[in-house]
Amino acid sequence: KPMRDSALSLMAQSDKEWVRALPQQHSTYIAITVAVLSCSWGIAMTGLDLGVVLGLLGATASTIIAFITPTFVYVSTHPEPHAKRTLAIAVGATGTILMPLCVAAVFL
């Protein structure tokens, strides 16, 4: 339901009139539901190991949440050069290096 609601909300905010009219139609609701279920079914039928999928999710999302996003926020809110800003950039660089290593570790 959240994915469908997000898609309908994005359509409602479109610049194009014909796209804004789509969320009011019941056929759009059904089409989005069928598309999400079809994509989910297709991914499930590929036979991917769920451990690999969750490993990739953890390898990417955790490094973004723990290293890269805090660095981006800190550097954006503190533009003047100082020691903490330099350390924050070092943390972001560490996260940028760790992410591909963690992704590679999932497959090894």
Side-chain angles (χ1 to χ4, degrees):
K1 182 166 169 27
M3 191 323 192
R4 181 180 44 232
D5 291 343
S6 296
L8 291 171
S9 174
L10 288 172
M11 286 181 190
Q13 297 173 12
S14 175
D15 293 337
K16 297 183 175 28
E17 183 61 40
W18 67 273
V19 177
R20 277 198 307 264
L22 287 175
Q24 286 90 24
Q25 299 173 8
H26 187 65
S27 60
T28 303
Y29 182 85
I30 292 172
I32 290 174
T33 302
V34 169
V36 169
L37 289 175
S38 297
C39 289
S40 299
W41 180 82
I43 291 169
M45 290 295 109
T46 62
L48 285 175
D49 181 19
L50 190 58
V52 172
V53 173
L54 292 176
L56 286 172
L57 179 66
T60 55
S62 63
T63 42
I64 289 172
I65 291 170
F67 293 97
I68 298 169
T69 303
T71 297
F72 178 73
V73 170
Y74 190 83
V75 170
S76 296
T77 56
H78 297 85
E80 66 281 345
H82 58 284
K84 285 185 181 179
R85 187 174 194 272
T86 305
L87 290 174
I89 292 171
V91 169
T94 303
T96 305
I97 293 168
L98 278 177
M99 186 186 301
L101 293 176
C102 292
V103 169
V106 169
F107 294 108
L108 297 178

